[in-house]
Amino acid sequence: MASVKMAGIAASSGIAIAKAFVLEHPDYSIEKRRVEDTRAEVERFRQAVEQSKAELETIKNKANEELGADKAAIFEAHLLVLADPELIGTVERKIEEEGVNAEYALDAVANDFITIFENMDNEYMKERASDIRDVTKRILGHLLGVSFASPATISEEVIVVADDLTPSDTAQLNRRYVLGFATNIGGRTSHSAIMSRSMEIPAVVGTKTITENVKNGVTVIVDGLAGEVIIDPTEEEIKAYRKKQDDYQKQKAEWKKLVNERTVTADGVHVELGANIGNPNDLEGVLSNGAEAIGLYRTEFLYMGRDQLPSEDEQFEAYKKVLEAMEGKPVVIRTLDIGGDKELPYLDMPQELNPFLGFRAIRLCLERQDIFRTQLRALLRASVYGNLKIMFPMIATLEELRQAKAILAEEKDKLVAEGVAVSQALEIGMMVEIPATAVLADRFAKEVDFFSIGTNDLIQYTLAADRMNERVSYLYQPYHPAILRLVHQVIQAAHKEGKWVGMCGEMAGDETAIPILLGLGLDEFSMSATSILPARSQLRKLSKQIAESHTDAILNLDTAEDVVAYVKKHFQ
Ligand code: PEP
Ligand code: MG
């Protein structure tokens, strides 16, 4: 049979060839049935509970060995739910007394428990609700005979194929076994795509229908360079892609030679190349790719893949580790930017129709000041271990910026009064990712030390095209002249106030965007660590002066397509 080729969005470079592991979202629809033999039904329920226990024990041990005790703690909490006689006993009584099927009884009882826990004042108790939800799904899976696939359970080399991967699914992927992934939905700047780049896992997203075309165990090639997936390839295709894989490795080896070089343009101008990270484990990639800074540390990943908020000390240790590892090089740490595609189930926020426009990031932090202040204290305490810059995400108004800065100043004063050392050189900056701030950049520039332009969001908000939605990905245009003009305006406004401007959206590492951004005067480019060396190689061949001479012409083009054609003609 001939192979099938599917096009998607190239999310993370590289070629991977392996058998497919299809992560399905099983059908958990439940019907109420009358049961005559209630004893047998209780027995069926007990068996499903026992199977879930055995499964969780295995996963817990594996997670403990491979991912560490903190990740394994989630499964420990799930085992505790299974051992809870209150929950299990109530389900059994419901089956016996009402003569209903186990699925229905479990679902009804679990929902009651979830409502009770969710309405408790105590944060710890609230978090139990999400454990009960997960455990219920697992038992239901056994009762209904559908598999509860979890990426954490993969233990052979595979390509993960899924409708979508959430950032927490992605965080659970084990690089040793997951050679690549392909999804139906998502865009280049969805967070699972960004994470796949920092994990160096080749990925293609937004194929729309890959899950309908791939069966478990079928060989799949993920071509993260071209944005294609080849299903059930022929021998010749496998050979050709092995060659492409080799060529890519050779190219990478060439780039590696630049790891200890500074990033200097052909006309001798230094620009700073930073890395974006999600957690301290990414440091290895930062150092091995020769980053000159960390331009964005997305701290929200510290809060994810667990079932309670990280403590101040835990955060302090993580920030300190990153600052120390960078040995005095700049480290921009962004305060919690949860929301959008980054969920935190244990906060139990109500579902929103438009999460990217909803209660998130700084909005949440200014309301949940307990969470915000804990993080700021951890950051301030860590500030003496390196060159820290604190950055606030999703600022829309000057009031928000002022309030965030005032809270930071309060926490700083408190720490100083307690005799705790805090860096005097701390810079405070903000993301420019909402069009309103880009337009009003001249005002914001007076009140911060630096800007970092978050094009991932700025593009989606400016063009009203969801960064996660592959159906409108044609409108998600980094080179749209409106975006370039906004970026230009932001850089001009900052420079007028003597402030520096970075960019930490994915556009900063984009080959077509780099000559434009150099000409616009961007001071710092921050990107996935794996993009640093190709970007350095490119920048060394470009002249800043020549790039600048094209700026006016580029800003006066009509369409994104015109911009791409212009860059091709003049820079490549
Ligand atoms: C951005 O929006 O460009 C950005 C860097 O932040 P995030 O991708 O985490 O939203
Ligand atoms: Mg953003």
Side-chain angles (χ1 to χ4, degrees):
M1 244 191 36
S3 62
V4 177
K5 196 179 259 192
M6 292 187 71
I9 297 164
S12 176
S13 305
I15 312 277
I17 307 173
K19 298 222 178 306
F21 176 94
V22 184
L23 254 188
E24 279 166 314
H25 293 293
D27 178 7
Y28 288 116
S29 39
I30 291 157
E31 285 171 20
K32 184 176 182 179
R33 276 187 292 111
R34 282 219 58 76
V35 168
E36 297 302 327
D37 188 350
T38 53
R39 268 175 105 180
E41 192 66 1
V42 167
E43 193 43 44
R44 192 168 76 86
F45 173 65
R46 284 185 185 160
Q47 263 182 23
V49 171
E50 286 311 314
Q51 283 168 325
S52 304
K53 263 188 201 159
E55 198 173 71
L56 274 167
E57 284 289 353
T58 314
I59 297 173
K60 187 190 81 180
N61 293 338
K62 200 161 160 228
N64 212 350
E65 268 169 37
E66 286 168 11
L67 304 166
D70 56 333
K71 292 267 182 342
I74 301 176
F75 303 113
E76 185 63 56
H78 289 186
L79 279 163
L80 284 176
V81 174
L82 279 177
D84 179 3
E86 191 70 40
L87 176 76
I88 304 299
T90 312
V91 176
E92 293 183 2
R93 272 196 303 282
K94 196 171 177 78
I95 297 172
E96 276 163 358
E97 287 165 14
E98 298 178 21
V100 289
N101 55 322
E103 292 87 345
Y104 175 80
L106 171 63
D107 189 52
V109 172
N111 281 334
D112 287 348
F113 274 73
I114 288 167
T115 312
I116 295 168
F117 280 110
E118 273 179 347
N119 287 319
M120 287 187 180
D121 264 348
N122 178 323
E123 274 307 314
Y124 178 79
M125 288 305 187
K126 276 191 178 166
E127 285 150 20
R128 301 284 70 79
S130 72
D131 292 337
I132 297 176
R133 217 175 265 127
D134 279 3
V135 169
T136 306
K137 263 199 201 157
R138 189 175 294 280
I139 308 174
L140 277 176
H142 285 293
L143 287 170
L144 294 165
V146 290
S147 73
F148 181 91
S150 157
T153 59
I154 297 170
S155 57
E156 57 179 337
E157 290 192 343
V158 293
I159 306 274
V160 169
V161 173
D163 180 45
D164 185 23
L165 282 178
T166 63
S168 64
D169 284 338
T170 313
Q172 288 181 63
L173 298 180
N174 184 334
R175 289 174 224 212
R176 222 171 64 215
Y177 301 127
V178 179
L179 304 191
F181 71 77
T183 60
N184 290 344
I185 70 171
R188 214 186 123 70
T189 62
S190 54
H191 283 94
S192 39
I194 291 171
M195 288 169 76
S196 65
R197 286 197 280 286
S198 69
M199 296 165 90
E200 297 197 40
I201 297 179
V204 173
V205 299
T207 62
K208 299 192 177 89
T209 53
I210 183 108
T211 50
E212 290 166 29
N213 292 292
V214 176
K215 291 212 166 23
N216 251 331
V218 165
T219 300
V220 170
I221 301 176
V222 170
D223 180 350
L225 297 165
E228 286 174 345
V229 185
I230 295 89
I231 303 162
D232 205 2
T234 60
E235 279 305 315
E236 285 88 80
E237 280 171 321
I238 293 184
K239 231 164 116 190
Y241 277 93
R242 291 252 180 251
K243 163 96 176 51
K244 196 167 174 183
Q245 205 171 28
D246 273 0
D247 291 347
Y248 183 64
Q249 289 307 333
K250 284 189 191 126
Q251 168 73 267
K252 273 172 68 172
E254 270 308 301
W255 287 329
K256 270 273 174 299
K257 294 181 183 156
L258 298 175
V259 70
N260 294 317
E261 302 289 326
R262 265 161 61 89
T263 313
V264 181
T265 60
D267 54 342
V269 180
H270 173 244
V271 288
E272 192 167 87
L273 285 193
N276 296 347
I277 65 167
N279 65 56
N281 294 341
D282 295 336
L283 277 170
E284 197 188 312
V286 172
L287 302 174
S288 65
N289 285 290
E292 294 159 272
I294 287 178
L296 171 64
Y297 176 178
R298 291 183 166 93
T299 57
E300 45 279 9
F301 292 105
L302 254 176
Y303 294 69
M304 290 168 25
R306 48 189 294 147
D307 57 6
Q308 66 197 63
L309 289 163
S311 69
E312 181 183 317
D313 280 343
E314 200 177 327
Q315 293 190 56
F316 164 75
E317 290 301 335
Y319 306 150
K320 175 171 172 254
K321 186 170 174 191
V322 173
L323 285 160
E324 285 184 334
M326 291 306 285
E327 298 176 331
K329 295 192 189 92
V331 176
V332 180
I333 305 190
R334 180 174 74 183
T335 60
L336 181 63
D337 181 14
I338 212 68
D341 61 337
K342 292 173 288 197
E343 292 177 356
L344 223 50
Y346 58 84
L347 281 188
D348 263 318
M349 309 295 275
Q351 286 280 334
E352 295 180 310
L353 277 178
N354 286 307
F356 272 105
L357 301 181
F359 183 63
R360 53 173 295 200
I362 199 72
R363 303 165 184 187
L364 182 142
C365 284
L366 292 177
E367 187 174 301
R368 287 292 307 267
Q369 286 191 18
D370 53 327
I371 298 177
F372 193 38
R373 286 177 190 271
T374 302
Q375 180 171 40
L376 293 177
R377 285 175 67 87
L379 282 167
L380 288 162
R381 282 171 54 201
S383 66
V384 291
Y385 293 93
N387 183 0
L388 173 65
K389 300 164 197 308
I390 296 180
M391 175 159 77
F392 301 120
M394 293 291 295
I395 296 283
T397 68
L398 274 161
E399 288 94 329
E400 283 172 338
L401 174 65
R402 288 173 187 157
Q403 202 188 343
K405 280 175 65 180
I407 294 172
L408 178 65
E410 274 174 33
E411 291 308 319
K412 188 173 170 183
D413 289 348
K414 276 193 229 162
L415 282 169
V416 172
E418 289 165 28
V420 177
V422 174
S423 165
Q424 294 307 312
L426 187 68
E427 286 190 8
I428 301 170
M430 58 179 264
M431 300 277 301
V432 176
E433 54 186 337
I434 295 182
T437 35
V439 172
L440 212 62
D442 56 334
R443 305 302 157 86
F444 284 97
K446 294 183 197 298
E447 304 192 24
V448 290
D449 296 313
F450 67 92
F451 287 143
S452 186
I453 306 176
T455 45
N456 301 342
D457 280 318
L458 186 64
I459 298 166
Q460 74 164 346
Y461 296 138
T462 305
L463 285 133
D466 184 345
R467 66 195 261 192
M468 302 282 293
N469 186 338
E470 68 290 345
R471 293 213 152 71
V472 292
S473 64
Y474 72 99
L475 277 174
Y476 188 90
Q477 299 178 356
Y479 323 115
H480 191 296
I483 300 297
L484 303 181
R485 287 189 189 192
L486 283 176
V487 170
H488 174 65
Q489 189 172 325
V490 172
I491 296 174
Q492 294 282 311
H495 285 176
K496 203 158 160 218
E497 296 296 329
K499 310 294 169 65
W500 63 271
V501 187
M503 178 179 285
C504 57
E506 292 303 304
M507 188 174 173
D510 180 287
E511 195 184 348
T512 305
I514 284 174
I516 307 175
L517 299 171
L518 178 69
L520 291 175
L522 190 71
D523 302 295
E524 180 237 29
F525 297 62
S526 194
M527 56 195 72
S528 306
T530 46
S531 302
I532 289 178
L533 294 174
R536 180 169 295 157
S537 155
Q538 186 185 5
L539 279 157
R540 282 159 64 92
K541 293 178 204 129
L542 291 169
S543 146
K544 175 151 181 177
Q545 213 188 351
I546 295 176
E548 273 170 354
S549 72
H550 288 287
T551 296
D552 268 354
I554 293 173
L555 291 176
N556 280 297
L557 292 169
D558 288 343
T559 65
E561 211 181 323
D562 294 345
V563 173
V564 175
Y566 188 99
V567 171
K568 271 217 170 86
K569 180 161 169 215
H570 293 276
F571 294 101
Q572 280 161 12

